[in-house]
Amino acid sequence: MASIKRYPWISHFLGSPTGYVVHLQKGQVKHQGVGQAFWFRPANSVLSEVPVDDQELPTLFHAITRDHQDVSVQANVTYRFIDPVSVSSRLDFGLQPAGSAPATGREQVATIIGQLCQSHAIDQIATTTLAEALERGVSQLRTVLTDALRTDTRLLSTGIEILGVQVLAVRPESDVERALQTPVREKLQSEADRAVYERRAVAVERERTISENEMASQIELATRREHLVTQEGANARRQAEEKAAAGLIEARASAERQDITTSAEANQIRLVGEAAAAREAATMEVYRDMEQATLLALALREAAGSLPNIGNLTITPDLLSGALAGLFREPAGAGVPAAAASTAGRIEK
């Protein structure tokens, strides 16, 4: 932005790189251009500074469609001043002293361009319905406004060049917009619900598959456990049978051994008895033919073999006479034991 230094009766102007200054002195152009620096007398000088950089003008207005619906149009116009001298002569861009009202050139340009945009947009939207305006209104309005503003006689004569027009939005009233959005929202909500249901269905299906797998695993484990219990029972039963069979075989073997032992012992006893009986019979047969004195001597020898040690033996006449008397009276077979017994009874230690 340009700066002015004021001194008594004279001032100094220093321009900016984006401001085109026009210095009029007594109605004549004394200085003009960008980045000017000069001295001037405020009493007879008028300074105007026109921006030469690109200007952006946002605008918002309403229009009525063919079906009597109110829509708002938001646009942005880019322009620049190609003839600053003409602009300074047609619009107010004067540099005012401190404390004065600011120049109104920018407001005038905004009003001119805004009215032109609104006029052409209203004419275009009036020929379309609300649905068409919402569907194709942005592109149609951009083309219409660009062509209309670039060929407008007033703008060209003023020295204003339109660089571009951007239509940002064409929107209906809020309640109409909500009503128009409802079907789409319902459709989107329906799609969202369907996605949720499908996701839940997939989750339920996965849970069912997991449950079936778990149940199948449990059934398989139960079947294997049943087979294991059956096998263990069969093994225990077989072991018991084998143990019982082994015990039976052992009992039979023990009984057979006992029978064999008993039979052997009985045979041995019988044989011993028979041998003893045969020996006794043979002895008796020998004793039958022997003399009484011989038998007495044998009896005494046998008795002496079974008697304890005798330190002293006293034979009295009575004992001897009694023994001899009995010997001669008893028969031969029975006398020997009787005499031996009598003799043994009288033996004293």
Side-chain angles (χ1 to χ4, degrees):
M1 185 175 179
S3 62
I4 300 175
K5 293 184 178 181
R6 303 183 182 276
Y7 301 95
W9 304 291
I10 196 171
S11 298
H12 184 268
F13 175 82
L14 179 61
S16 64
T18 59
Y20 191 99
V21 63
V22 178
H23 176 207
L24 298 177
Q25 186 176 2
K26 295 181 180 181
Q28 300 295 325
V29 177
K30 300 294 291 185
H31 300 90
Q32 64 177 353
V34 177
Q36 296 288 318
F38 52 86
W39 295 90
F40 67 95
R41 295 181 63 184
N44 56 2
S45 298
V46 176
L47 300 178
S48 298
E49 186 180 26
V50 180
V52 295
D53 55 342
D54 295 343
Q55 303 292 313
E56 300 291 338
L57 176 64
T59 179
L60 176 66
F61 50 88
H62 291 264
I64 304 298
T65 62
R66 189 176 64 189
D67 50 358
H68 308 289
Q69 297 296 322
D70 185 17
V71 295
S72 60
V73 180
Q74 182 179 0
N76 187 74
V77 180
T78 304
Y79 66 94
R80 68 178 178 179
F81 301 105
I82 59 176
D83 190 357
V85 178
S86 299
V87 171
S88 64
S89 62
R90 300 282 298 272
L91 302 175
D92 184 10
F93 282 94
L95 293 176
Q96 304 296 331
S100 302
T104 59
R106 293 178 183 272
E107 288 77 4
Q108 292 174 339
V109 173
T111 301
I112 294 171
I113 295 178
Q115 290 178 352
L116 290 174
C117 291
Q118 185 173 0
S119 175
H120 292 290
I122 288 174
D123 294 341
Q124 174 63 28
I125 292 176
T127 60
T128 61
T129 62
L130 177 62
E132 294 174 350
L134 296 178
E135 183 178 359
R136 298 184 299 271
V138 173
S139 59
Q140 292 178 352
L141 285 177
R142 181 171 59 248
T143 302
V144 170
L145 292 180
T146 300
D147 296 341
L149 293 178
R150 285 180 177 178
T151 59
D152 186 77
T153 305
R154 183 179 179 183
L155 295 179
L156 293 176
S157 62
T158 307
I160 300 174
E161 179 184 10
I162 302 299
L163 300 178
V165 178
Q166 299 295 328
V167 179
L168 304 179
V170 177
R171 301 182 60 180
E173 294 180 346
S174 58
D175 53 348
V176 177
E177 186 176 12
R178 285 195 298 270
L180 293 175
Q181 292 174 351
T182 299
V184 178
R185 288 180 178 177
E186 293 296 332
K187 183 178 179 180
L188 294 177
Q189 186 64 38
S190 177
E191 293 293 331
D193 294 340
R194 184 175 62 83
V196 171
Y197 296 151
E198 291 179 355
R199 185 168 63 253
R200 290 181 179 177
V202 171
V204 170
E205 182 65 22
R206 291 179 179 176
E207 290 179 358
R208 185 182 64 82
T209 303
I210 293 173
S211 300
E212 291 179 353
N213 293 336
E214 291 179 352
M215 187 177 298
S217 300
Q218 293 178 359
I219 293 174
E220 181 66 21
L221 291 176
T223 304
R224 293 184 179 180
R225 190 179 297 111
E226 181 181 1
H227 293 168
L228 179 61
V229 171
T230 304
Q231 188 64 37
E232 289 179 350
N235 294 338
R237 184 169 59 254
R238 187 177 303 170
Q239 184 177 3
E241 292 176 355
E242 295 293 336
K243 186 176 181 180
L248 180 59
I249 294 173
E250 181 67 24
R252 288 178 179 177
S254 178
E256 291 179 357
R257 287 195 301 270
Q258 186 69 25
D259 292 341
I260 292 172
T261 303
T262 304
S263 299
E265 290 177 356
N267 292 331
Q268 184 178 3
I269 293 172
R270 186 179 70 252
L271 292 176
V272 171
E274 290 178 354
R279 187 184 65 179
E280 189 68 25
T283 303
M284 290 297 105
E285 185 66 26
V286 173
Y287 287 164
R288 185 180 300 116
D289 296 332
M290 291 181 66
E291 295 181 356
Q292 186 175 8
T294 303
L295 294 175
L296 178 60
L298 292 174
L300 291 174
R301 189 182 64 180
E302 292 181 358
S306 60
L307 291 176
N309 294 328
I310 299 174
N312 297 313
L313 176 64
T314 302
I315 301 175
T316 63
D318 295 335
L319 176 61
L320 183 58
S321 61
L324 293 176
L327 179 62
F328 289 109
R329 287 197 301 268
E330 296 294 330
V336 176
S342 178
T343 302
R346 289 181 175 88
I347 295 175
E348 294 180 1
K349 284 183 163 186

